[in-house]
């Protein structure tokens, strides 16, 4: 099992290229289930979760292959030979639940294992199932599997989500592209990845308006066709490396980063004393003064994203004064707190809030990753700490970040990956 060894105390300077968005690429791959023609995706991130999704699509009968040997360009297509998504694949990644809607829409039946993924909360799939039932599906749960049937096909209807769930919105939007009539999704998730998915689906022949707002309208069509689509840049990867510049007192240009996609994250940086500017196709992040403590509450987009909470906690652990982070999305997403405290942070958790009292410096220590984003919070702490930090269980990190050690080392970090 691989580990990272980090020797901190070096400001980062230089450029980092931001890859394609994990949270967009996974769903765009699933869109390949909606047509028998080829869907070609460019700017595909080379990460473990993409490989898992490719394995799942292959299980369904699709062919997924690199175009001209370029792993950042994937071709997806073929006939569906199996409508079952088995436990051994789905248990590795919660995003696998997104095959349910497309399989049901195209094949009128699907059997999908209940999903797994990071242990950061329950994240129930109730909204996915209730939404599909509104579209006419008959759903039963049996032996750990979701069995969905729509013998007469799905039929458009009005769906009001009780919470702006990203996964439910994407699943229902994809299913509705092949439903009969009009579907409305009210209180839809508004993340930029939603608009990216809709853009691709529309290029495939779908009729979707309102994606990226809280009210999405989909007029069903008979069939979709192939297209070529470039995956948007990863705003969470961009925000994460912005934290690396901030916590080390450095200056980074993040190629492909878009200030407009980060929303509340940019405001949080500025309140904490970090300068963020757009320079052409790059986002520049630098800190020249002291970090200031701030209060953050995670919320659905355009609020502060839960996927940036752990990284900001590391950043605020060395800020002047006190900070408070309140987590409203996932109930178990403070598992990195004990590890940060091992490095000298002063963080106390009270229910859904964490109180952070900034310290002058952190100290290197052996620490253990607990989930994808928590992994990088510990890297950030290691980059700022005195001495050596050894991070174990980096397989969590590999699920969503590509070539971390190479990107950081190119900007002056002392970080290396070693195998046990």
């Amino acid at each position: 099992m691989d580990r990272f060894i980090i020797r901190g105390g070096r400001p980062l300077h230089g450029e980092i290229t931001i890859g394609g968005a994990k949270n967009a690429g996974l769903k765009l791959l699933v869109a390949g289930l909606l047509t028998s023609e080829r869907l070609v995706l460019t700017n595909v991130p080379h990460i473990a979760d993409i490989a898992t999704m490719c394995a799942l699509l292959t299980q369904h009968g699709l062919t997924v292959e690199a175009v001209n040997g370029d792993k950042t360009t994937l071709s997806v297509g073929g006939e569906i030979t199996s409508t079952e998504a088995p436990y051994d694949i789905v248990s590795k990644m919660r995003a696998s639940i997104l095959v349910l809607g497309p399989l049901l829409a195209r094949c009128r039946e699907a059997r999908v294992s209940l999903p797994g993924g990071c242990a950061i909360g329950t994240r129930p799939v109730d909204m996915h199932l209730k939404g599909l039932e509104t579209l006419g599906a008959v759903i039963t749960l049996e032996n750990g599997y979701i069995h969905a049937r729509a013998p007469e096909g799905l039929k458009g209807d009005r769906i009001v989500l009780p919470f702006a769930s990203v996964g439910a919105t994407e699943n229902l939007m994809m299913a509705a592209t092949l439903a009969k009539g009009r579907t409305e999704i009210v209180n839809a998730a508004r993340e930029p990845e939603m608009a990216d998915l809709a853009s691709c689906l529309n290029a495939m022949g779908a009729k979707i308006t309102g994606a990226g707002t809280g009210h999405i309208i989909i007029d069903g069509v008979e069939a979709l066709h192939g297209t070529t689509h470039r995956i948007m840049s990863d705003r969470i990867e961009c925000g994460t490396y912005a934290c690396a510049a901030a916590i080390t007192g450095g200056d980074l240009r993040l190629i492909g980063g878009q200030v407009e996609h980060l929303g509340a994250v940019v405001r949080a940086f500025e309140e904490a004393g970090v300068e963020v500017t757009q320079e052409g196709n790059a986002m520049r992040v630098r800190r020249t003064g002291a970090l200031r403590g701030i209060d953050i509450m995670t919320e659905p987009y355009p609020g502060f994203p839960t996927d940036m909470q752990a990284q900001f906690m590391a950043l605020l652990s060395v800020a002047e004064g006190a900070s408070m982070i309140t987590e409203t999305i996932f109930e178990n997403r403070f598992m990195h707190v004990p590890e940060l405290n091992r490095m000298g942070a002063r963080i106390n958790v009270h229910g859904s809030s964490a109180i952070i009292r900034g310290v002058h410096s952190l100290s290197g220590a052996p620490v253990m990753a607990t989930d994808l984003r928590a992994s990088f919070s510990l890297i950030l702490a290691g980059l700022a700490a005195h001495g050596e930090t050894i991070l174990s269980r980096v397989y969590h990190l590999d699920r969503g970040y590509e070539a971390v050690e190479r990107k950081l080392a190119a900007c002056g970090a002392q970080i290396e990956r070693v195998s046990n």
Side-chain angles (χ1 to χ4, degrees):
M1 192 178 297
D2 288 359
R3 297 173 296 159
F4 278 158
I5 298 177
I6 306 161
R7 297 172 183 87
R10 292 169 171 257
L12 300 186
H13 295 275
E15 294 184 346
I16 292 177
T17 298
I18 304 302
K22 164 187 175 289
N23 290 338
L26 292 172
K27 294 57 178 291
L28 288 161
L29 282 168
V30 172
L33 290 167
L34 291 166
T35 177
S36 60
E37 298 183 15
R38 308 299 294 182
L39 170 62
V40 178
L41 299 174
T42 65
N43 199 33
V44 180
H46 188 48
I47 55 177
D49 273 10
I50 291 291
T52 299
M53 184 60 78
C54 290
L56 180 57
L57 296 179
T58 301
Q59 147 75 25
H60 291 307
L62 273 59
T63 300
V64 184
E65 56 189 0
V67 177
N68 298 324
D70 180 5
K71 291 182 180 180
T72 65
T73 302
L74 295 182
S75 172
V76 185
E79 293 298 331
I80 295 172
T81 59
S82 171
T83 57
E84 179 168 319
Y87 172 77
D88 62 337
I89 298 178
V90 176
S91 61
K92 298 177 182 178
M93 183 179 63
R94 291 195 62 87
S96 304
I97 188 67
L98 292 172
V99 303
L100 179 62
L103 286 173
L104 185 60
R106 187 166 164 214
C107 302
R108 302 189 175 187
E109 185 171 11
R111 188 170 183 266
V112 178
S113 171
L114 289 166
C118 284
I120 57 175
T122 56
R123 298 197 282 185
V125 297
D126 298 22
M127 282 185 279
H128 300 244
L129 306 188
K130 290 177 181 177
L132 291 172
E133 286 177 330
T134 300
L135 298 181
V138 176
I139 295 176
T140 56
L141 300 178
E142 49 191 30
N143 302 319
Y145 278 78
I146 302 162
H147 191 190
R149 299 179 299 278
E152 304 300 320
L154 297 174
K155 298 178 181 178
D157 206 330
R158 189 171 188 265
I159 301 169
V160 180
L161 296 177
F163 176 80
S165 164
V166 173
T169 302
E170 291 166 331
N171 220 339
L172 297 171
M173 183 168 70
M174 285 191 284
T177 60
L178 298 179
K180 298 173 184 175
R182 170 168 288 189
T183 298
E184 293 183 61
I185 304 176
V186 181
N187 197 28
R190 296 184 282 170
E191 275 73 3
E193 293 83 4
M194 206 67 58
D196 198 36
L197 175 59
S199 175
C200 178
L201 292 171
N202 283 339
M204 295 169 69
K207 296 181 179 179
I208 303 170
T209 58
T213 75
H215 189 184
I216 301 175
I217 297 175
I218 308 104
D219 289 307
V221 297
E222 286 291 324
L224 298 182
H225 53 74
T227 193
T228 297
H229 180 82
R230 178 180 173 80
I231 299 171
M232 64 177 285
S233 294
D234 195 319
R235 63 191 174 95
I236 303 300
E237 182 187 16
C238 181
T240 300
Y241 284 115
C243 282
I247 200 169
T248 63
D251 185 346
L252 291 178
R253 293 185 77 251
L254 305 174
I255 309 301
Q258 297 293 317
V259 169
E260 63 179 347
H261 288 165
L262 286 173
V265 174
V266 172
R267 292 192 294 274
F269 275 126
E270 291 172 345
E271 289 176 13
V274 181
E275 182 181 329
V276 179
T277 55
Q278 190 74 41
E279 296 183 351
N281 72 329
M283 191 176 90
R284 186 178 180 184
V285 184
R286 58 181 172 177
R287 175 173 71 85
T288 56
L291 287 167
R292 299 187 294 267
I294 60 172
D295 293 343
I296 292 170
M297 177 180 291
T298 63
E299 297 175 306
Y301 191 86
F304 191 94
T306 183
D307 278 353
M308 285 298 303
Q309 179 257 106
Q311 299 93 307
F312 257 78
M313 187 174 290
L315 180 65
L316 295 173
S317 70
V318 292
E320 292 183 351
S323 304
M324 182 169 71
I325 297 179
T326 302
E327 175 60 63
T328 69
I329 309 297
F330 297 130
E331 69 273 16
N332 293 338
R333 212 163 195 179
F334 285 147
M335 291 188 292
H336 46 282
V337 169
E339 301 301 290
L340 288 172
N341 283 344
R342 281 174 51 78
M343 300 180 68
R346 296 176 61 203
I347 306 169
N348 293 303
V349 176
H350 302 276
S352 61
S353 294
I355 308 299
I356 305 120
R357 294 174 177 84
V359 297
H360 179 69
S361 62
L362 300 173
S363 300
V367 289
M368 186 177 297
T370 55
D371 64 68
L372 171 57
R373 305 306 174 184
S375 302
F376 219 116
S377 75
L378 299 174
I379 288 178
L380 293 170
L383 292 173
H386 295 297
E388 183 176 272
T389 297
I390 301 174
L391 174 62
S392 301
R393 293 187 177 179
V394 298
Y395 58 83
H396 287 292
L397 188 85
D398 293 335
R399 287 187 47 231
Y401 293 96
E402 179 181 2
V404 169
E405 64 274 28
R406 177 176 57 80
K407 290 184 177 183
L408 288 172
C411 296
Q414 282 195 319
I415 178 172
E416 60 179 326
R417 181 189 291 255
V418 297
S419 299
N420 288 348

